[in-house]
Structures are given as C-alpha cells and as structure tokens.
Amino acid sequence: MIWRCGLGALLAAVVAGVAWLYGIWAGAFLELRATGEYCSGGPLDFPATTWSWLPLSHECLYADGTTQELVPAGVNLVVDGCLMVVLACGLAAWRVRAASAGSRPSPSPGVSPGR
C-alpha cells in the first residue's frame, strides 16, 4: 500500500512539474521580445507586467486599468490538483505506516529487536 501511495505521489508531482513548466512557456515568461509585442491589447501601464511563481501568473497591465492573464487558466488548476494528490498520498502513506507500526508485537524482554 505504501509503495502505491509513493508511486501516486511521484506521478502527481511529475504532472504538476510538467504543467508548471508548460505555464512558464505559454505564459510568455521566457519571451525576449518587447513587452508590447505579446501584450498587444492597447497602451501599456507602468509597470507593464506583473508576475508570480505560485500560483503561476503573468499579467499585462494596460493604461485603462484592464489586465490580461498570459498563463492559461487550466495550468494552476492542474498544478493545485496534483499538489493536493501528493499531500493526500503522503498522508495516506503516513497513516498506513503508523497503523502497521502500532500492530507489531513488541519484542520479548532480553531479545534485541531485528533479530
């Protein structure tokens, strides 16, 4: 049971990492072009963009007060969902291990454990 939880947590962490990297790529974090080329909705405010790593966000700020999110909406849903799976798998593995440790008989007096 514990190895299944570990495998599920590992798989969910990999999916979260891939989704987060996709968000970095799709959200124009790595753009070397001028900001006005990928934020083309009108005149830009100063500063022209804001960003954060978690939740992943990269917004264009326009002079009229509107904003445009460049990171696709599903990216943060996938990352958050996968991190919840990692947390749930970790908790389940911890509970299974704690339950199995409590059900083991204690060694007899004078006998070293593990022999």
Side-chain angles (χ1 to χ4, degrees), residues 5 38 100:
C5 293
Y38 59 87
S100 66

Side-chain angles (χ1 to χ4, degrees), residues 5-104:
C5 293
L7 187 61
L10 180 65
L11 180 63
V14 167
V15 171
V18 168
W20 191 80
L21 288 174
Y22 172 75
I24 293 287
W25 175 75
F29 281 89
L30 306 175
E31 287 290 334
L32 298 177
R33 301 179 293 162
T35 305
E37 292 183 28
Y38 59 87
C39 291
S40 58
L44 294 170
D45 199 4
F46 183 80
T49 61
T50 62
W51 55 273
S52 70
W53 294 114
L54 202 61
L56 194 57
S57 175
H58 191 197
E59 290 184 326
C60 298
L61 306 174
Y62 297 104
D64 62 357
T66 60
T67 62
Q68 175 190 7
E69 178 62 55
L70 299 173
V71 176
V75 168
N76 285 317
L77 291 174
V78 170
V79 171
D80 292 345
C82 287
L83 292 179
M84 293 288 236
V85 169
V86 169
L87 181 65
C89 287
L91 182 62
W94 178 72
R95 290 190 60 159
V96 166
R97 183 168 180 167
S100 66
S103 64
R104 292 186 191 144

